[in-house]
Amino acid sequence: MEKFTKLSGIAAPMPIRNVDTDMIIPKQFLKTIKRTGLGKNLFDEMRYTQDGKEIPDFVLNKPQYRQAKILVAGENFGCGSSREHAPWALLDFGIRCVIAPSFADIFYNNCFKNGILPIKLPKEDVDKLMDDAERGANAIVSIDLEAQEIRGPDGGVVKFDVDSFRKHCLLNGLDDIGLTLQKKPSIDSFETKNQHSQPWLW
């Protein structure tokens, strides 16, 4: 998993409540088990017409937001079914951070496991960042995970909370497999001893 330390990029505004995982990545794209290639179908039903043409008014189709790295969203982002393809699609598009007043629990947890930083903030702070994001290409927002700070385009700073263990995992690029591999010497030692003490199992 790619480390998340500092991020600076364009923030895209999506002031919609209850964006569910089927909106993020519709069910017809869940056949793959690969984590790549889903970015083109992110928010598919909002981005494209039924014949596959881009909808110009959708935020991520606008030229100034095509390279967005941050999404500023409404309450209860990521609700609905517990599909891990949702953070995969966001990440494949280039979104590394989602800021919202609240998240669905499963989606929130899946973000951390896939290298995305979900930030919960009071609604008034989200509204301010939403206003900043409306500036388009000038809406450069910087996020410092170590300091737990968001710096807006005018230099204003917003502090945020994050669980210390999840912070450690993001800073060091550790997903569940990475965490297990940190114990590799102990695992190898156990297996060597076990081979000698219970050879019939091997």
Side-chain angles (χ1 to χ4, degrees), residues 4 7 10-14 16 19 24 42-43 60 68-78 86-87 89-91 94-104 107-108 111-112 115-121 126 129-130 141 143 150 160-161 170:
F4 189 115
L7 176 68
I10 294 169
M14 186 175 286
I16 306 172
V19 172
I24 297 171
L42 177 69
F43 299 116
L60 296 182
K69 296 180 181 179
I70 300 160
L71 195 62
V72 185
E75 293 94 333
N76 199 28
F77 190 87
L90 287 163
L91 194 61
I95 302 292
R96 294 291 316 276
C97 176
V98 182
I99 301 169
S102 59
F103 295 87
F107 173 83
Y108 185 76
C111 281
F112 285 104
I116 295 174
L117 174 61
I119 298 176
K120 297 178 185 178
L121 288 177
V126 175
L129 290 167
M130 195 77 74
V141 173
I143 297 165
I150 303 169
F160 64 90
D161 294 325
L170 279 179

Side-chain angles (χ1 to χ4, degrees), residues 117-197:
L117 174 61
I119 298 176
K120 297 178 185 178
L121 288 177
K123 190 175 185 305
E124 55 268 25
D125 288 333
V126 175
D127 288 344
K128 174 63 172 65
L129 290 167
M130 195 77 74
D131 287 342
D132 289 339
E134 295 286 354
R135 302 183 189 187
N138 293 321
I140 301 298
V141 173
S142 298
I143 297 165
D144 186 330
L145 177 55
E146 182 64 49
Q148 296 179 209
E149 291 180 348
I150 303 169
R151 192 172 298 274
D154 291 331
V157 176
V158 176
K159 299 285 289 185
F160 64 90
D161 294 325
V162 62
D163 175 80
S164 59
F165 175 71
R166 287 169 166 164
K167 177 180 177 179
H168 167 79
C169 290
L170 279 179
L171 287 172
N172 294 280
L174 296 171
D175 57 12
D176 289 346
I177 294 173
L179 285 167
T180 301
L181 289 176
Q182 285 190 314
K183 305 293 185 183
K184 188 176 186 303
S186 297
I187 294 170
D188 290 344
S189 175
F190 170 81
E191 288 187 341
T192 299
K193 290 177 183 177
N194 196 249
Q195 284 178 6
H196 286 93
S197 64

